[in-house]
């Protein structure tokens, strides 16, 4: 089996060592080079054949954006899929990275299992997240709901999409689903909080009744199948989606 070749560029040496050890332990992955600054990263990529680059945004000499700029101007290097790693989630930086060809963003700290899930996802499906320019929050949420298999014709789909969007911007709303989250959604769609709650619950039920759903959702979220055997509550499901997007980690 041909392994996914991965390069890592991050000035946090401890994190690089941790990622290298974990990724090398995966049967289908191989770390082919590591760098601790932007200039070293370019040199390694020119000397190796990498499928995926895990790229920190803030590094010495050349930052992640500058590295992306170099990659996109090189025909061979521009084909490398780039996953951006950052402890910050400023929309302007993420937008610029997306314009420069980043495939995905993961906020620090993150679980190494989640990183593996995203690497496999990108290699299987290509750049669905950000290869052709700026991807909005709405588009990211829509893409994730599609990945999970939430039926788009259900009212619960739109309510769930709105719920995730609100929680991304206001994480505290997740702890007040009855008093704040459902009423906000109800006001937006001219309905009642009770109907919002029922519709979201029905949408989740429709996902879980599909025989292949548990295994698929586990692969998308990076959870074990055992953890997802029981259908989650509305708030738990919303939290899972928000966490998988990696957009509000810096607000915690």
């Amino acid at each position: 089996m041909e392994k996914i070749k991965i390069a890592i560029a991050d000035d946090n040496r401890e994190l690089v060592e941790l990622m290298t050890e974990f990724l090398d332990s995966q049967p289908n992955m191989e770390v082919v080079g590591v760098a601790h600054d932007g200039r070293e990263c370019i040199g390694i990529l020119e000397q190796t054949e990498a499928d995926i680059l895990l790229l920190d945004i803030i590094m010495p000499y050349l930052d992640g954006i500058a590295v992306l700029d170099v990659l996109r101007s090189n025909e061979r290097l521009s084909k490398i899929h780039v996953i951006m790693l950052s402890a910050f989630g400023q929309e302007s930086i993420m937008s610029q990275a997306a314009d420069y060809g980043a495939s995905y963003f993961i906020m620090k700290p993150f679980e190494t299992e989640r990183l593996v899930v995203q690497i496999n996802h990108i290699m299987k499906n290509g750049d669905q997240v950000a290869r052709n320019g700026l991807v909005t929050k709405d588009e990211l949420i829509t893409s994730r709901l599609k990945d999970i298999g939430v039926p788009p014709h259900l009212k619960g789909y739109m309510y769930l999409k709105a719920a995730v969007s609100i929680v991304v911007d206001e994480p505290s709303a997740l702890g007040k689903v009855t008093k704040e989250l459902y009423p906000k959604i109800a006001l937006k769609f001219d309905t009642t909080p009770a109907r919002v709650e029922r519709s979201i619950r029905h949408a989740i039920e429709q996902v879980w009744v599909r025989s292949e759903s548990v295994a698929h959702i586990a692969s998308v979220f990076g959870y074990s199948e055992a953890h997802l055997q029981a259908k989650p509550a509305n708030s738990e499901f919303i939290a899972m989606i928000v966490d998988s997007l990696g957009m509000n980690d810096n607000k915690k």
Side-chain angles (χ1 to χ4, degrees):
M1 177 181 63
E2 186 174 352
K3 294 188 176 183
I4 300 171
K5 297 179 177 62
I6 303 166
I8 304 173
D10 195 306
D11 62 347
N12 185 328
R13 294 175 181 270
E14 184 177 349
L15 177 60
V16 169
E17 184 177 346
L18 175 66
M19 289 192 292
T20 299
E21 181 178 354
F22 188 79
L23 294 172
D24 276 340
S25 71
Q26 305 302 309
N28 66 329
M29 297 182 186
E30 173 187 14
V31 176
V32 295
V34 299
H36 302 294
D37 65 65
R39 289 194 308 213
E40 185 183 12
C41 172
I42 297 300
I44 286 176
L45 293 177
E46 289 175 341
Q47 298 170 19
T48 61
E49 295 287 339
D51 302 307
I52 295 278
L53 170 62
L54 307 180
L55 179 63
D56 190 23
I57 288 181
I58 300 176
M59 294 185 298
Y61 303 117
L62 290 177
D63 63 16
I65 299 298
V67 171
L68 284 174
D69 193 26
V70 173
L71 297 189
R72 69 173 182 168
S73 64
N74 182 295
E75 183 177 356
R76 182 177 74 83
L77 300 184
S78 65
K79 298 177 182 178
I80 299 173
H81 303 283
V82 181
I83 297 178
M84 302 299 295
L85 309 176
S86 177
F88 307 96
Q90 293 99 327
E91 186 174 345
S92 60
I93 295 178
M94 294 174 70
S95 298
Q96 188 176 9
D99 285 336
Y100 281 29
S103 300
Y104 197 81
F105 301 89
I106 292 183
M107 298 296 121
K108 297 177 180 179
F110 56 84
E111 296 181 355
T112 46
E113 291 85 355
R114 179 176 161 198
L115 183 60
V116 167
V117 169
Q118 294 305 333
I119 290 173
N120 283 319
H121 180 73
I122 288 174
M123 291 304 296
K124 179 180 179 182
N125 300 293
D127 297 345
Q128 293 184 341
V129 181
R131 176 57 74 182
N132 295 314
L134 172 62
V135 176
T136 66
K137 177 181 68 173
D138 183 75
E139 289 169 330
L140 285 173
I141 296 171
T142 299
S143 176
R144 180 58 78 226
L145 294 181
K146 180 180 178 181
D147 286 344
I148 298 166
V150 180
H153 65 279
L154 299 178
K155 286 184 179 179
Y157 173 90
M158 293 304 301
Y159 298 160
L160 188 57
K161 186 175 177 180
V164 172
S165 180
I166 291 171
V167 173
V168 166
D169 293 333
E170 307 171 39
S172 62
L174 193 59
K176 307 170 184 176
V177 291
T178 302
K179 292 184 177 181
E180 290 188 12
L181 187 59
Y182 294 154
K184 281 186 178 181
I185 299 170
L187 183 63
K188 179 178 180 179
F189 290 95
D190 192 25
T191 185
T192 66
R195 288 174 179 169
V196 169
E197 187 279 330
R198 286 197 301 269
S199 296
I200 291 178
R201 177 156 40 89
H202 176 65
I204 297 173
E205 288 171 351
Q206 293 306 301
V207 173
W208 247 257
V209 296
R210 296 170 55 192
S211 59
E212 75 277 11
S213 288
V214 172
H216 176 66
I217 294 172
S219 70
V220 171
F221 287 148
Y223 288 96
S224 67
E225 290 188 41
H227 179 80
L228 296 176
Q229 286 300 323
K231 179 176 67 67
N234 289 6
S235 59
E236 183 182 0
F237 192 64
I238 293 167
M240 288 164 59
I241 297 173
V242 171
D243 182 63
S244 75
L245 295 173
M247 296 181 67
N248 75 334
D249 296 11
N250 62 309
K251 300 178 183 179
K252 293 179 182 178

